[in-house]
Amino acid sequence: MKGLFLTHCGQVRNHNEDAGGVFENKSKQPIAIIADGMGGHQAGDVASMLAVDNIKNRWEETEQVENTDEIEQWFQQTIKETNEQIFQKSQENKQLEGMGTTLVAVVIIGDSLTIAHIGDSRLYIARGSQVEQLTEDHSFVNELVKRGEITEGDAEVHPYKNYIIRALGTDAKVDTDVKTLTWQAGDRLLLCSDGLSDKLSQTELAQHITADNEMDEIGCQLVDLANQRGGEDNISLILITHDGSGSEAGEPA
């Protein structure tokens, strides 16, 4: 596989509360992570960086995972510890009170994707000309859509569309969505914060990430489009392509 991580402050904010990257354990097995922090006094960037650093460090200390059950258990335990760490720091420092972060992460072993998700950062998969969202937003408006009270179109313009109902570090305990799916040669993954997904429709994302272009070109085009449409939020993304190389990770760009 080949991976690319990009992040941009956007056009309005003067600091970046997103964090992420593509990392490897001791057996070169890859993990990709995007975290979008929240909280006043720049506490959001503390929460997102704590989340990424803790998960990254735990992964880099890992020798090798043998199967998807092991990865799922690893995710649950590591995210539990990470949540406790962020929550404790928010209790100890008044300026960090209420901080938290979204999280979307994926471990890739051969043709298996094990996904962990909290909040409204997203993971998409592109196959052929089609793109599917693999995560479900933990947001107020998504709950309204699920209950049939508003349409998906209504959700895109709802005044509370960025109000999330689950985040890492805001409470002593957190529920994490963890699941394992498969992918195949030629597929491409997009992990992103809502600074990107709020600015481009799924159809537009499909047009770009399924294009026959280099990943750095696609990534820069997506960031540029989000900025051209206002760039009110930080913008972060990871693109990963299944190049048929099995479980070996390509060099993160």
Side-chain angles (χ1 to χ4, degrees), residues 97-112:
E97 186 176 359
M99 72 174 177
T101 183
T102 69
L103 176 74
V104 61
V106 59
V107 168
I108 302 167
I109 307 298
D111 294 330
S112 295

Side-chain angles (χ1 to χ4, degrees), residues 63-178:
E63 291 288 345
Q64 184 172 356
V65 288
E66 302 292 343
N67 55 64
T68 55
D69 287 342
E70 186 179 341
I71 302 169
E72 291 186 7
Q73 293 170 8
W74 182 89
F75 259 139
Q76 293 286 5
Q77 181 60 34
T78 302
I79 293 172
K80 176 177 179 289
E81 294 170 359
T82 302
N83 185 77
E84 291 169 352
Q85 182 182 16
I86 297 171
F87 182 73
Q88 182 177 349
K89 285 189 177 295
S90 74
Q91 300 300 297
E92 294 170 349
N93 187 332
K94 189 71 174 177
Q95 288 189 318
L96 302 179
E97 186 176 359
M99 72 174 177
T101 183
T102 69
L103 176 74
V104 61
V106 59
V107 168
I108 302 167
I109 307 298
D111 294 330
S112 295
L113 307 170
T114 300
I115 304 160
H117 174 243
I118 302 166
D120 64 354
S121 292
R122 294 179 177 177
L123 172 60
Y124 297 90
I125 187 168
R127 178 171 296 164
S129 61
Q130 302 299 312
V131 167
E132 178 185 357
Q133 183 179 333
L134 298 182
T135 53
E136 181 179 302
D137 293 353
H138 302 136
S139 66
F140 173 69
V141 295
N142 192 49
E143 290 301 309
L144 296 180
V145 171
K146 287 163 62 177
R147 294 202 297 261
E149 296 181 22
I150 63 173
T151 67
E152 291 187 2
D154 294 334
E156 291 179 3
V157 296
H158 197 283
Y160 297 119
K161 71 174 183 176
N162 297 120
Y163 184 82
I164 64 173
I165 58 176
R166 200 190 306 180
L168 187 65
T170 55
D171 296 290
K173 295 182 179 180
V174 68
D175 291 329
T176 307
D177 289 353
V178 178

